[in-house]
Amino acid sequence: MRNNIHKDMALLFVISPLHRIGGWEQHAMSRCALQTTRVAMGPRESLLELGQKTGRGVTATLEDKAKAEEAVAQLIADRNADKGPVEDMAQPLDSDLFRGKWDLRYSTEDTLVGLMRSGLPPLLSKAEAVYQTLEGGIVEATSNPSPGLIQNVIEFPRPKGTLRLVVKVDFQTENEGTRCRFVFNATELQFPGRTIRLPFAFGRGFFDVLYFDGQMRIDRDQNGWLNVYSYAGPSVKCSAYD
């Protein structure tokens, strides 16, 4: 009788660790199954996630910038192969969908990244909202093209109201609606109820629209800087500033 008890205890001693090991293996296999069934992130999602992770490009490393370029190249390749999420517009700058407000999601533009990183001296408050508004400039078949207006806006929070740095440029479209050629119009500091015009409105340049689908827009300017925007709705004037 005593021998049988000892045998049973010995058997339990052996089975118990095996049972625990089996449970661990089953748990590990379940985790692996979850990982293998995870849906791969597309280039659009990768680009937006990268912009969020790096603070719109402020903390982007060389590796991050390479990943952004890969995502852009993949979006363009998918568009050319008709695999994109939405049909890309053939002449984006000549489309009504191009007009409106566009939130910046990622940038490699030195001056812009510097302002987002360090703030606006002497305030040194970090940028809160960064966006563009575009209006006008659509080429009509029955009339001469008139320039449109782009407003590049960076908002800095302050206790007495948000300060806006606004750079205004006049633009016209070229290359069948894929190139935006612009001339600087004005640079302003806008406080609620007051606007100060700065003597920095000079120069000209252009950017090419690499990708546009009505919801996402990717531009590259003459310096090679990359800007990624997402559509935020129609332009709405704010009576406190405009």
Side-chain angles (χ1 to χ4, degrees), residues 20-218:
R20 287 196 296 270
I21 292 172
W24 176 84
E25 289 176 342
Q26 185 176 6
H27 179 65
M29 290 176 64
S30 299
R31 290 179 61 187
C32 290
L34 287 173
Q35 291 174 358
T36 55
T37 56
R38 186 178 179 182
V39 177
M41 190 178 295
R44 173 200 287 268
E45 292 76 17
S46 297
L47 199 52
L48 294 176
E49 184 182 73
L50 182 65
Q52 184 176 14
K53 184 188 81 170
T54 62
R56 290 175 289 210
V58 170
T59 63
T61 63
L62 290 177
E63 182 181 359
D64 292 328
K65 292 177 181 180
K67 288 180 179 178
E69 292 289 349
E70 289 176 6
V72 171
Q74 187 61 56
L75 272 171
I76 295 172
D78 288 347
R79 174 200 62 192
N80 294 339
D82 294 327
K83 295 180 181 178
V86 183
E87 183 181 357
D88 185 81
M89 307 298 174
Q91 297 176 308
L93 285 161
D94 293 334
S95 168
D96 287 329
L97 296 174
F98 197 81
R99 276 70 191 163
K101 180 182 177 183
W102 291 88
D103 287 335
L104 181 73
R105 306 301 292 271
Y106 175 81
S107 178
T108 62
E109 187 174 337
D110 285 348
T111 303
L112 180 54
V113 169
L115 283 169
M116 290 191 293
R117 176 187 294 115
S118 304
L120 185 66
L123 301 174
L124 299 179
S125 60
K126 298 294 181 67
E128 190 172 62
V130 185
Y131 58 91
Q132 273 188 348
T133 62
L134 296 97
E135 55 187 71
I138 297 178
V139 178
E140 301 290 347
T142 57
S143 63
N144 294 324
S146 58
L149 176 66
I150 297 176
Q151 298 189 84
N152 301 283
V153 183
I154 307 177
E155 295 186 351
F156 299 93
R158 298 169 62 250
K160 296 183 179 181
T162 298
L163 167 66
R164 303 200 310 182
L165 175 64
V166 182
V167 178
K168 299 179 179 181
V169 300
D170 298 323
F171 77 91
Q172 289 184 323
T173 67
E174 294 181 358
N175 289 16
E176 298 182 342
T178 61
R179 172 165 291 184
C180 176
R181 191 170 292 279
F182 58 83
V183 178
F184 286 93
N185 175 319
T187 302
E188 298 174 345
L189 283 178
Q190 297 181 354
F191 302 85
R194 184 186 179 194
T195 296
I196 301 175
R197 180 161 290 198
L198 303 176
F200 304 140
F202 58 88
R204 60 185 65 235
F206 69 87
F207 64 80
D208 292 320
V209 181
L210 305 181
Y211 179 86
F212 177 73
D213 61 20
Q215 296 300 318
M216 175 177 277
R217 184 183 120 219
I218 303 174

